[in-house]
Amino acid sequence: MNGASSHRDDGRAVAAEWEAVGEWATLLADPVYRGEGVARGDGRLVLVLPGLFGNDLYLRPLRRWLARVGYRPVPSSLGLNAGCYERLCRRVEAALQARAEVSPGPIALIGHSRGGMLARAIAARLQARASHLLLLGSPVGAVLRMPQRLFDSGTLPPGGPRALSNASLRARRVLDPDCRFPACDCSFVRDLRRPLHAGTRVVSIHSREDGVVHPAASVLAGAHNVEVTGSHSGLVYNRAVYRELGAALAS
């Protein structure tokens, strides 16, 4: 593929993300968003993590829905999901710990896109306390399938549009110039590949139309893999996704 063709593909992928606005509007009118047909939650904490360059603001509809159906949503506290994964994990864990001290019990984690990488490592650290790991358009599957020699060399599998990958790399160099992920062998790198507790239920949801993270990158061995339609950004507003989340959290 030549450079011009690659740039056109990147442009189409980014343009398709505007579909998320329509998906959000459709969700608000759907009975599932009112909690109809969704099993009532047990009040457990649900940590919700944003994707690349995202923060908690765009996840507010999802957190409101979680509270409506009986859970206690926990925002990530991230102002920007970019840069060193370990630094971001520490910040998220500090926010989670403050809530967990007053709300003991199992914790579910929902990670959108890059947020799924953080969620996977934090779930490994929580072990038995992590009841659910729910991934939305996250490339965790592709990363975990990488041979260790490639991981150690600092090579990552191709993810989405090249422009987005380059922007992520540039942001990391600015925010965390000493970060050498994935060749750094920090705690995040080890925990990302560390086995989860046998009792942690893992669900990975991807869209066949995703132009940001290739659908195959989200398929995860040992997980319940679910395919839906819609945009990558819109996975957090997708009414089919909400039905899957409700069923998974109730299981």
Side-chain angles (χ1 to χ4, degrees):
M1 179 182 292
N2 61 39
S5 176
S6 177
H7 287 312
R8 286 196 297 270
D9 289 344
D10 283 7
R12 283 195 294 266
V14 172
E17 292 308 295
W18 284 103
E19 296 176 8
V21 176
E23 292 170 284
W24 173 66
T26 300
L27 171 68
L28 296 183
D30 195 285
V32 72
Y33 195 63
R34 298 192 293 272
E36 296 179 20
V38 180
R40 187 70 185 171
D42 59 4
R44 79 182 59 202
L45 298 179
V46 182
L47 176 66
V48 187
L49 298 159
L52 178 64
F53 297 127
N55 56 35
D56 294 321
L57 183 61
Y58 82 101
L59 296 171
R60 186 177 296 171
L62 176 53
R63 295 198 307 274
R64 286 178 173 172
W65 175 78
L66 287 167
R68 187 176 299 125
V69 299
Y71 298 99
R72 297 181 183 179
V74 181
S76 71
S77 81
L78 296 179
L80 182 71
N81 184 354
C84 175
Y85 283 101
E86 178 59 25
R87 173 179 60 81
L88 297 171
C89 271
R90 289 197 298 267
R91 178 161 184 172
V92 171
E93 288 175 303
L96 178 62
Q97 181 60 31
R99 292 288 297 274
E101 287 177 355
V102 296
S103 299
I107 298 170
L109 302 93
I110 300 177
H112 178 223
S113 195
R114 191 180 199 254
M117 301 273 283
L118 300 175
R120 173 60 176 77
I122 294 172
R125 295 175 184 182
L126 289 171
Q127 282 297 302
R129 198 168 180 189
S131 62
H132 299 75
L133 174 62
L134 309 172
L135 305 171
L136 310 181
S138 180
V140 170
V143 173
L144 295 185
R145 286 192 293 273
M146 284 181 61
Q148 187 66 45
R149 60 180 176 79
L150 292 180
F151 207 83
D152 292 341
S153 72
T155 304
L156 281 176
R162 184 176 302 174
L164 193 61
S165 299
N166 289 340
S168 176
L169 181 59
R170 287 194 297 270
R172 191 179 74 195
R173 287 171 176 167
V174 171
L175 296 170
D176 302 285
D178 295 329
C179 179
R180 295 293 179 267
F181 175 83
C184 55
D185 194 35
C186 67
S187 297
F188 172 81
V189 171
R190 294 190 296 272
D191 290 330
L192 179 63
R193 296 166 73 88
R194 178 183 173 193
L196 300 173
H197 188 269
T200 301
R201 176 172 172 77
V202 183
V203 178
S204 183
I205 304 175
H206 64 272
S207 170
R208 71 180 72 140
E209 300 163 346
D210 196 323
V212 176
V213 173
H214 193 282
S218 296
V219 175
L220 188 59
H224 177 50
N225 294 288
V226 179
E227 183 178 85
V228 298
T229 60
S231 67
H232 177 76
S233 298
L235 285 169
V236 300
Y237 310 126
N238 189 309
R239 55 184 176 172
V241 169
Y242 278 57
R243 291 185 171 88
E244 291 291 343
L245 293 177
L249 286 168
S251 65

